[in-house]
Amino acid sequence: MSVAKDTKANTRLILLDAHAILHRAYHALPDFSTSKGEPTGALYGLSSMLLKIIEDLKPDYIAACYDLKGPTYRHEIYKEYKAGRKAADEALVAQMISSRKIFEAMDIPIYDKEGFEADDMLGTIVEQVKSQKSKIKSTDIIIASGDMDTLQLVDDKKVQVYTLKKGIKDTIMYDEKGVIERYGFGPALIPDYKGLRGDPSDNIIGVKGIGEKTATILIQQFGSIENMYKELEAGREAKFKKAGISPRIVQLLKDNKEEAEFSKMLATIRRDAPITFAFPEKTFRDTIDPKKINALWTSLEFRTLPQRLKQVMENWDGKKPESQKSKVKSQTSPASRSTSPEELASDGDHTVDPDELEKVGTALWLIQSNLTNPKIEDILNFTGKETFEEARPIIMDGLKQHNVEKVYMDIELPLMPITHEMEKRGVKIDRQELARLSKNYHVELDRLEKSIHTQAGMEFNINSPRQLGDILFDKLGLTAKNMKKTSGGARSTKESELEKLRDLHPIVPMIFEYRELAKLLGTYIDAIPPQLDQNDRLHTDFIPSGSTTGRMASQNPNLQNIPIKTDLGKAIRKAFIAEKGFKLCGFDYSQMELRIAAFLSGDEKLIQIFKNGEDVHASVAAHVFKVSPEHVTPTMRRQAKVINFGIIYGMGVLALKQNLGTTREEAQKFLNDYFATFSTLAAYLDRIKAETARKGYTETLFGRRRYFEGINSRIPYIKAAAERMAINAPIQGTEADVIKIAMIHIDSFIKEKKLESDVFPLLQVHDELIYEVRESKAADIAPQIEKLMESVVDPETSKGVVLKASASIGDTWGELK
């Protein structure tokens, strides 16, 4: 596979699939925002990607292609097109609108057209450039996108695709050879492939019953869909039998000719959109004005990008030293690890090793308060710093200033190689199980859709917020108190708003069910198989610095969001399986947050409940309702459970009323009785609010800080929200620290016992750790790991409260209890 070089004989045109890049950037940097809380992850990712493209590809010309709001011609001929997709987050939509300012500041022309998608803009420009008789005698076209659909435009003579593999950093350059390596056939046949197997992400049906493997064989043997039907119509079915195609598949082809041809048409990028592409009079290098773009970046608080742009522009005509590795990875290279801040990857003449860069990023994540400190700005700019060691004095000084040096040295650094090992090994997936779930759940999704349409009295696009709003609020006349609107003034159909309507009409619970099923299909069941390697292992990205609480996150896909308690979530977990000769061992902390709340607060009643090994919810119910333990009813226990977890999340009386399904007066009495009984816990929570207001941050048991800008806000709801988060932060943050320390202790145990070929860390999800353990050793090793997890916090610190862990062994994740 060829890779774009710094020196080029031909003119180079870069075409940007802005819509796809913004989507990828937004989901890679979901929590990125300004000091005022305005989301900027998509804008930052786009800006960073542009710098990477400029530096790597040295474009002569750049153009950006956009989708426009509203239906395309594909929707007009097929109303279900992309119907399974979740509506884009409001924060992403707002940034898509703002993103045009970035291209305007860089003097990059934008192409879009109502009724067409960005892909159609790309295809049309490619076609026009190929046929143009202009002053540009020979033009190489590189399409930058996060959407694999664009690979059908690849042409060895003219066109390559520079696509995002993971996040916004790991890129691959596809030429025709690369496409063949990926699919087993050339670019021109990708629409035929989708015509046969369909495309769940776009709700293209294909031929039901034909999957990836069969579609690939058919295309390799017969080429296009048209050629397949030519053979069938000529009665040459023997050719299919000779190619190993079963009579059942042949019959499916015969019965679904219209579906196959229609699906191919939907999947084919148009090359005749009504636009006219023209090369600008001056090259990109001659027109870019750093002052203009830097002014925009400064307003968005992208502090490091102006310096990066300066270095990129200075290095435009220079040749990188041979020691610098190409930033364009080959298709078969290992996935790069998520690192923040990503823009430190190069300072022009130097390359920072990814491992060193990750250390810098983690340090900056911990130093999260005073980014205006000049010394910290030096780190952010990273000017002239070739290695982490050169920057170490400044970084360590910043860590000491914020009292997080110990968290960095004892938790975050030792954790890095463990998460890398998890990413490298991946987890085994049962493709057949996911295929079975997909088939069954799509049937269920169709049934739900029909039921919803029946309740509405008409057909409509359930995934369209506007159409759904029209049905619920206008046609059915549903309304409730305090219904909120979107930032644009439209009536919101977010889950939190629809929850207010749940009991008013049977259509509302159906919509919740439909959305949950569609989300699981689109995010996991249909999305995981294309991400598997040749051994059917899924390599998700783990992000130790994934949240402000210190909790680890994951992406591509986000395994943290698979529902824990629902049957749908359990069914998906059953597709996560052990390798042959191994077992999956799960280790789960029990009621961890309540146990941490007990010893952090020092509440003797709560501590004694755990020391006695009592059922905490039943015991709390006995205290609050003033009955003996044997007289606690299931309803009392359920209510105590709601209160227990509600208290440590800062739940107020109104939220408690809603969650208990009771009156405000009863909810207030429950709160009063609870705090009167567990008065030391109540005093601790009040003390947390007061200390956070004074210091501006909370701390975990291990010293991890979290800052709260809104804690002293004059606006009541902002202050209240900050107080709610502050109440829970030390508890949830300590919980996150404990999980990470447990992983480090288990890793030391594995090395000490020389079990590196027998025990492999796979997943960390919430309070759960999953390891793949050699079958013959699983029963012996599991109890030892369980004890290690329970000893993370010493008994003196925990005041005798044991952080209870439980082990479970099985062949699938779904079997673990």
Side-chain angles (χ1 to χ4, degrees):
M1 185 187 312
S2 65
V3 173
K5 298 183 177 65
D6 290 333
T7 57
K8 55 190 191 304
N10 297 343
T11 296
R12 181 169 291 162
L13 168 64
I14 306 297
L15 299 179
L16 302 170
D17 185 346
H19 190 82
I21 293 171
L22 285 160
H23 256 282
R24 183 67 64 89
Y26 175 74
H27 292 292
L29 302 166
D31 298 325
F32 213 95
S33 62
T34 66
S35 58
K36 296 178 181 178
E38 297 170 354
T40 54
L43 301 178
Y44 176 85
L46 173 64
S47 300
S48 186
M49 184 70 179
L50 279 168
L51 287 176
K52 182 174 175 60
I53 286 169
I54 295 167
E55 185 172 28
D56 287 355
L57 305 179
K58 303 287 193 299
D60 296 296
Y61 302 95
I62 308 179
C65 298
Y66 271 86
D67 287 355
L68 285 177
K69 187 177 179 181
T72 67
Y73 76 91
R74 292 179 177 90
H75 293 92
E76 292 174 3
I77 59 177
Y78 179 49
K79 65 178 181 178
E80 303 303 321
Y81 181 64
K82 295 190 177 181
R85 288 194 178 182
K86 179 185 173 184
D89 293 349
E90 291 178 13
L92 172 57
V93 173
Q95 290 179 78
M96 282 187 168
I97 295 169
S98 301
S99 67
R100 292 176 179 251
K101 295 178 182 177
I102 293 174
F103 294 118
E104 290 167 5
M106 281 195 165
D107 211 16
I108 294 174
I110 293 172
Y111 290 84
D112 53 30
K113 190 68 179 178
E114 289 182 2
F116 293 86
E117 298 179 56
D119 284 356
D120 300 317
M121 300 297 103
L122 297 168
T124 300
I125 293 173
V126 165
E127 200 64 25
Q128 290 183 10
V129 171
K130 281 183 179 182
S131 61
Q132 269 187 18
K133 306 293 184 184
S134 68
K135 63 179 181 181
I136 309 300
K137 294 182 179 178
S138 184
T139 304
D140 292 331
I141 302 172
I142 297 176
I143 298 170
S145 175
D147 186 350
M148 301 309 258
D149 288 347
T150 56
L151 292 181
Q152 64 184 269
L153 299 174
V154 167
D155 175 352
D156 257 5
K157 295 178 181 177
K158 283 280 185 183
V159 187
Q160 296 182 67
V161 170
Y162 177 84
T163 189
L164 301 163
K165 185 177 181 183
K166 288 190 177 182
I168 55 172
K169 305 183 302 298
D170 192 5
T171 53
I172 309 169
M173 183 71 80
Y174 278 100
D175 57 11
E176 194 163 340
K177 182 182 176 185
V179 174
I180 294 170
E181 287 175 1
R182 179 182 176 89
Y183 289 101
F185 46 81
L189 292 169
I190 289 177
D192 297 271
Y193 175 69
K194 292 197 172 188
L196 293 173
R197 72 166 291 271
D199 185 350
S201 66
D202 288 340
N203 204 32
I204 296 175
I205 54 173
V207 177
K208 290 187 177 180
I210 293 182
E212 295 176 15
K213 186 176 179 181
T214 303
T216 301
I217 293 171
L218 283 167
I219 289 172
Q220 288 173 337
Q221 294 294 322
F222 299 100
S224 69
I225 284 175
E226 290 77 10
N227 196 52
M228 292 174 205
Y229 284 109
K230 189 183 295 182
E231 296 289 345
L232 289 174
E233 288 163 6
R236 291 191 280 267
E237 294 183 13
K239 284 190 175 183
F240 289 82
K241 184 177 181 181
K242 187 177 180 182
I245 304 300
S246 69
R248 183 183 73 86
I249 297 298
V250 171
Q251 193 60 48
L252 284 174
L253 286 171
K254 288 181 177 179
D255 294 343
N256 293 277
K257 182 175 185 289
E258 185 177 340
E259 286 81 357
E261 292 175 342
F262 183 67
S263 296
K264 175 182 176 178
M265 184 273 293
L266 287 174
T268 301
I269 292 175
R270 289 277 293 269
R271 304 189 186 210
D272 60 348
I275 61 168
T276 301
F277 175 77
F279 284 99
E281 292 185 6
K282 294 183 178 180
T283 66
F284 176 75
R285 178 68 177 87
D286 293 332
T287 59
I288 188 169
D289 182 354
K291 289 183 180 178
K292 193 175 177 182
I293 185 63
N294 286 342
L296 177 60
W297 282 341
T298 300
S299 71
L300 294 170
E301 300 181 13
F302 297 164
R303 297 182 179 89
T304 63
L305 294 188
Q307 176 66 20
R308 172 98 182 273
L309 176 61
K310 178 175 179 288
Q311 293 158 353
V312 169
M313 299 306 291
E314 288 175 351
N315 195 44
W316 185 282
D317 299 316
K319 189 175 181 181
K320 296 183 181 70
E322 290 184 6
S323 61
Q324 180 166 355
K325 298 176 182 177
S326 169
K327 292 186 181 63
V328 184
K329 300 181 183 299
S330 70
Q331 182 187 358
T332 55
S333 67
S336 67
R337 295 180 285 272
S338 297
T339 306
S340 172
E342 180 226 344
E343 73 275 11
L344 300 183
S346 172
D347 66 351
D349 293 328
H350 300 96
T351 296
V352 183
D353 181 89
D355 289 335
E356 306 300 325
L357 177 60
E358 187 168 18
K359 294 175 186 177
V360 174
T362 302
L364 291 173
W365 169 59
L366 289 168
I367 306 167
Q368 52 187 301
S369 64
N370 298 319
L371 291 182
T372 55
N373 181 312
K375 289 186 177 179
I376 305 305
E377 283 293 336
D378 288 343
I379 303 174
L380 288 169
N381 289 330
F382 214 64
T383 306
K385 305 294 188 297
E386 187 171 6
T387 66
F388 173 73
E389 292 302 322
E390 291 181 45
R392 180 183 287 273
I394 302 173
I395 291 172
M396 298 311 293
D397 183 53
L399 291 168
K400 286 177 183 176
Q401 285 179 33
H402 294 77
N403 201 32
V404 287
E405 184 181 19
K406 189 172 177 60
V407 175
Y408 182 68
M409 299 300 294
D410 294 351
I411 300 178
E412 298 304 335
L413 282 185
L415 189 68
M416 287 180 190
I418 301 171
T419 56
H420 296 170
E421 179 64 27
M422 291 162 66
E423 292 175 347
K424 180 181 176 183
R425 183 164 180 86
V427 59
K428 186 86 169 180
I429 300 294
D430 185 341
R431 279 183 183 267
Q432 287 69 37
E433 179 63 15
L434 285 183
R436 186 186 70 79
L437 290 178
S438 178
K439 180 179 179 181
N440 293 343
Y441 287 173
H442 275 291
V443 170
E444 177 64 12
L445 196 67
D446 290 343
R447 184 196 67 76
L448 276 169
E449 181 181 45
K450 290 174 183 174
S451 298
I452 290 170
H453 288 164
T454 299
Q455 291 291 335
M458 61 179 289
E459 291 188 1
F460 68 99
N461 183 358
I462 302 170
N463 299 296
S464 165
R466 183 184 61 79
Q467 292 185 36
L468 179 61
D470 290 344
I471 293 292
L472 296 178
F473 305 125
D474 295 335
K475 192 170 189 300
L476 299 179
L478 303 183
T479 186
K481 288 184 178 179
N482 303 317
M483 291 290 288
K484 295 178 182 177
K485 293 187 177 183
T486 67
S487 57
R491 296 165 299 185
S492 176
T493 56
K494 290 197 309 183
E495 184 173 337
S496 58
E497 297 308 302
L498 294 191
E499 192 63 53
K500 301 170 185 175
L501 307 174
R502 181 184 282 275
D503 299 327
L504 299 182
H505 196 285
I507 196 174
V508 182
M510 289 180 184
I511 290 167
F512 281 122
E513 194 176 351
Y514 176 91
R515 283 180 170 179
E516 176 69 7
L517 188 53
K519 179 181 177 181
L520 293 179
L521 281 166
T523 307
Y524 301 110
I525 297 172
D526 291 337
I528 285 177
Q531 298 182 60
L532 302 182
D533 66 13
Q534 59 187 4
N535 298 314
D536 286 347
R537 298 191 78 95
L538 177 67
H539 302 270
T540 188
D541 291 330
F542 289 99
I543 312 169
S545 55
S547 74
T548 51
T549 63
R551 275 182 177 270
M552 188 180 291
S554 69
Q555 63 183 22
N556 301 318
N558 179 1
L559 300 181
Q560 311 283 341
N561 284 349
I562 299 177
I564 297 174
K565 297 178 181 178
T566 68
D567 290 338
L568 293 177
K570 291 174 184 175
I572 293 172
R573 280 175 162 78
K574 287 182 180 177
F576 288 68
I577 61 176
E579 190 66 72
K580 187 176 181 181
F582 285 79
K583 290 283 187 180
L584 293 186
C585 291
F587 304 92
D588 196 5
Y589 279 109
S590 172
Q591 297 167 335
M592 192 176 180
E593 287 182 321
L594 286 172
R595 292 172 187 268
I596 291 171
F599 67 73
L600 286 183
S601 67
D603 191 292
E604 285 298 332
K605 287 193 178 76
L606 201 52
I607 288 171
Q608 200 59 46
I609 287 172
F610 285 117
K611 288 174 75 172
N612 293 344
E614 299 171 20
D615 177 333
V616 65
H617 302 310
S619 296
V620 166
H623 281 291
V624 171
F625 295 108
K626 297 179 175 57
V627 297
S628 59
E630 60 270 21
H631 289 106
V632 172
T633 66
T635 299
M636 288 178 179
R637 186 185 183 279
R638 181 187 65 80
Q639 291 175 325
K641 184 176 181 179
V642 171
I643 297 170
N644 273 332
F645 287 109
I647 293 302
I648 61 176
Y649 276 93
M651 186 183 290
V653 64
L654 292 178
L656 189 61
K657 166 185 171 292
Q658 184 176 348
N659 281 274
L660 288 173
T662 185
T663 65
R664 177 174 180 141
E665 290 73 22
E666 286 180 325
Q668 187 65 61
K669 186 177 187 307
F670 287 148
L671 273 179
N672 294 342
D673 290 345
Y674 187 96
F675 283 134
T677 304
F678 301 99
S679 56
T680 308
L681 174 62
Y684 164 76
L685 298 178
D686 286 337
R687 186 168 71 250
I688 289 295
K689 287 195 287 187
E691 288 182 357
T692 308
R694 178 171 54 84
K695 298 189 297 186
Y697 62 85
T698 59
E699 284 187 301
T700 68
L701 177 65
F702 300 94
R704 185 186 302 275
R705 290 184 179 182
R706 182 178 177 186
Y707 290 82
F708 294 91
E709 282 191 14
I711 198 73
N712 291 308
S713 174
R714 295 179 182 177
I715 303 173
Y717 80 89
I718 292 179
K719 180 179 176 66
E723 287 180 342
R724 283 195 300 272
M725 290 186 288
I727 283 173
N728 181 248
I731 299 170
Q732 197 175 56
T734 297
E735 178 185 23
D737 288 341
V738 166
I739 288 280
K740 290 180 174 181
I741 294 169
M743 294 172 70
I744 294 165
H745 286 187
I746 295 168
D747 184 65
S748 298
F749 163 77
I750 292 170
K751 290 181 170 63
E752 180 186 332
K753 300 294 184 182
K754 296 183 170 31
L755 296 171
E756 291 94 333
S757 61
D758 299 308
V759 183
F760 300 92
L762 297 185
L763 301 173
Q764 191 279 305
V765 179
H766 303 301
D767 294 340
E768 186 178 16
L769 295 173
I770 307 294
Y771 287 79
E772 196 164 41
V773 183
R774 197 168 298 279
E775 188 170 5
S776 60
K777 299 187 178 182
D780 177 54
I781 289 172
Q784 297 181 66
I785 291 180
E786 186 180 276
K787 287 182 180 178
L788 279 173
M789 292 177 67
E790 292 181 345
S791 64
V792 167
V793 180
D794 65 81
E796 185 177 348
T797 302
S798 69
K799 299 178 174 60
V801 176
V802 176
L803 293 180
K804 187 68 178 171
S806 58
S808 182
I809 302 173
D811 293 317
T812 77
W813 188 12
E815 293 175 22
L816 305 181
K817 298 178 182 178

